[in-house]
Amino acid sequence: MSTLAARDHAVLWHPYTQMQTAALPIPIVRGEGAWLYTEDGTAYLDGISSWWVNLHGHAHPRIAARVAQQLQTLEHVLFAGFTHPPAVELAEGLLEILPPNQRRIFYSDNGSTAVEVALKMALQYHHNLGQPRRTIVAFRDSYHGDTFGAMAVSSRGAFTAPFAPLLFDVAFIDVPVPGREVEALAQLEAVAAQGDVAAFIFEPLLLGTAGMLTYSAEALDELLGSCHRHGILAIADEVMTGFGRTGQLFACDYLAERPDMVCLSKGLTGGTMALGVTSCAGPVYDAFLSDDKLKTFFHGHSYTANPVACAAGLASLELLRDPACAANIARMATAHQVFQAEITGQPGVRDVRLLGTVLAVEFEEAATTSYFSSLRDELYELALQRRVILRPLGNIIYLMPPYCTTDAELSLLYDTVRAMRELVVGRNQ
Ligand SMILES: *Cc1c(COP(=O)(O)O)cnc(C)c1O
């Protein structure tokens, strides 16, 4: 038994983990490129970017150098009444690449807080205008985080059941997956007509936790058009889709309509440090400008705009804007397309979904599909035995590798999915 894993087991409590039955955690001591290394030197290929955060590879030297330099210059300063270069430069850089109507950057700590900030901003926007609205609209299958507001606007299920009575009411509408576009729009129109909807929050084009569900830009444009006709603020949760994952810098770049707010985290620092951003369009910001102090946005965190995290964000942004990164994203998207063509329609495969660098394969499963199914554990184990990190969502396996992943490394991932399909076929016989 690894001493680190044993010591961990004595003192730690891991996320999304049933500690009584879980296997000991795999102790990782070093990372490089798309690889993670254990104490004894075993290498694991990170096919899911360490929970969707890593963009350019682990322990990237350019990000590390920038962080080290910032640590020796200024580690932190409070962000009310004070500012610092990394916060300003990162905000300027983000506004250059975000949808062009975005005007202001509000920092927080992670994806969930970026969502909390967006929800509070939207509600207070209407309050400040003197026309309070209370209803939030969200997709039934969405995931927006684990804090209370984020949970409230997320899919209700086993994870949220213990808290259900305390979650505020949300108007859920269907995801406009192919064939459901008309219903989703009708549901939004019906709730919008009541005049009380403050905001619509959505994962643009790709719902991650729901199983990498995809829907069209045209369908989302219709929903956003309806929002804007009814004075409803559109909040794009790009925590997962941001920074190139979908093949464009942001999923919203596929749209004709513009979001009023954008939530960012995960890839924001290239997967190096925790940082969240909520950006907003001019009219949202303007609703908070007043001689009346009560119109202030009274929200902040101790580590708001932490300089070290912002420095990591700046270094990651530089790497992202390097043409070599765009070339890697395009190369990965093409490789995924080739694999999609190969595996689509094969026995055991129910559906294959692809958007940019994210590929999902939904397997046929005889029993009911859920996060808790034994197929999920078998697929997970199969990947680990091949020294590949892939975390199935029930009967769905997805690839979301760092952009630096080479063609040879991608082949290892595809081989693993091929082996998983064989396992599924054998199991269903
Ligand atoms: C991961 C995720 C979040 C929550 O981010 P955390 O940093 O884990 O709190 C919110 N929205 C989406 C779409 C996500 O994928």
Side-chain angles (χ1 to χ4, degrees):
M1 184 193 283
S2 148
T3 53
L4 193 63
R7 283 163 57 201
D8 172 295
H9 197 61
V11 295
L12 282 166
W13 188 348
H14 288 263
Y16 287 102
T17 304
Q18 174 43 257
M19 297 300 290
Q20 179 161 307
T21 49
L24 285 178
I26 299 168
I28 300 296
V29 294
R30 191 171 71 79
E32 187 179 347
W35 296 89
L36 293 164
Y37 297 88
T38 64
E39 279 175 310
D40 62 10
T42 307
Y44 286 90
L45 182 58
D46 186 355
I48 56 166
S49 298
S50 282
W51 253 354
W52 319 350
V53 300
N54 192 288
L55 300 185
H56 313 292
H58 289 281
H60 194 286
R62 296 251 305 264
I63 300 178
R66 185 89 199 228
V67 165
Q69 184 194 27
Q70 186 60 44
L71 270 171
Q72 289 160 8
T73 316
L74 175 69
E75 88 302 345
H76 191 61
V77 58
L78 76 164
F79 207 59
F82 294 82
T83 192
H84 54 81
V88 176
E89 287 164 27
L90 182 58
E92 289 170 348
L94 289 172
L95 289 175
E96 278 173 26
I97 61 170
L98 277 164
N101 67 330
Q102 300 299 296
R103 285 280 175 281
R104 295 278 162 172
I105 298 294
F106 191 97
Y107 288 110
S108 64
D109 295 347
N110 55 60
S112 301
T113 56
V115 166
E116 298 287 342
V117 166
L119 296 174
K120 287 176 71 174
M121 250 182 209
L123 291 166
Q124 193 179 340
Y125 162 86
H126 294 286
H127 176 92
N128 282 1
L129 294 183
Q131 296 150 344
R133 296 183 178 198
R134 286 186 32 173
T135 305
I136 308 286
V137 174
F139 284 138
R140 214 175 299 286
D141 301 308
S142 61
Y143 177 76
H144 296 291
D146 285 348
T147 53
F148 261 82
M151 255 198 304
V153 295
S154 296
S155 166
R156 306 291 174 87
F159 297 177
T160 57
F163 321 105
L166 296 175
L167 300 177
F168 59 75
D169 285 339
V170 168
F172 287 107
I173 64 170
D174 289 342
V175 181
V177 291
R180 297 290 298 167
E181 296 94 336
V182 175
E183 287 82 356
L185 183 60
Q187 290 164 5
L188 176 65
E189 289 282 352
V191 56
Q194 294 164 17
D196 186 51
V197 179
F200 167 45
I201 183 164
F202 54 94
E203 295 167 81
L205 308 190
L206 180 63
L207 283 83
T209 306
M212 303 299 155
L213 280 186
T214 52
Y215 62 98
S216 75
E218 292 72 27
L220 184 53
D221 268 328
E222 297 257 358
L223 295 176
L224 297 193
S226 171
C227 283
H228 290 143
R229 282 192 298 280
H230 289 96
I232 298 168
L233 295 177
I235 303 171
D237 179 352
E238 295 240 18
V239 168
M240 188 268 277
T241 50
F243 304 104
R245 288 287 182 208
T246 66
Q248 298 275 353
L249 271 179
F250 298 99
C252 285
D253 295 341
Y254 287 102
L255 301 176
E257 298 280 341
R258 306 265 178 241
D260 299 290
M261 286 181 242
V262 181
C263 304
L264 303 172
S265 184
K266 294 206 166 104
L268 176 58
T269 62
T272 308
M273 319 244 336
L275 184 66
V277 152
T278 308
S279 71
C280 71
V284 175
Y285 179 70
D286 290 344
F288 290 77
L289 301 179
S290 174
D291 295 329
D292 179 358
K293 284 215 168 95
L294 293 177
K295 292 198 171 170
T296 307
F297 189 49
F298 290 112
H299 186 104
H301 300 277
S302 312
Y303 284 98
T304 296
N306 175 257
V308 186
C310 289
L314 273 170
S316 177
L317 202 57
E318 238 172 68
L319 291 167
L320 190 73
R321 297 177 89 174
D322 187 318
C325 185
N328 273 339
I329 290 172
R331 177 181 52 81
M332 187 179 293
T334 305
H336 280 357
Q337 278 165 20
V338 172
F339 183 66
Q340 179 188 35
E342 174 199 313
I343 198 161
T344 300
Q346 286 195 355
V349 175
R350 181 179 295 156
D351 191 25
V352 184
R353 297 183 284 272
L354 172 62
L355 188 60
T357 69
V358 183
L359 175 82
V361 178
E362 182 169 342
F363 292 118
E364 304 273 5
E365 195 187 14
T368 46
T369 65
S370 94
Y371 185 91
F372 303 107
S373 79
S374 65
L375 174 62
R376 185 237 168 247
D377 294 344
E378 287 175 38
L379 296 175
Y380 182 64
E381 280 305 319
L382 181 152
L384 282 186
Q385 275 159 20
R386 290 171 162 254
R387 305 291 182 244
V388 166
I389 303 175
L390 292 175
R391 269 179 78 92
L393 297 157
N395 61 325
I396 298 160
I397 194 74
Y398 64 89
L399 309 182
M400 196 191 294
Y403 306 145
C404 63
T405 306
T406 65
D407 286 336
E409 290 159 355
L410 283 175
S411 292
L412 287 178
L413 296 177
Y414 300 144
D415 277 344
T416 306
V417 177
R418 289 184 186 105
M420 286 175 167
R421 189 192 66 80
E422 279 165 25
L423 181 151
V424 168
V425 169
R427 217 171 169 270
N428 289 351
Q429 262 161 11

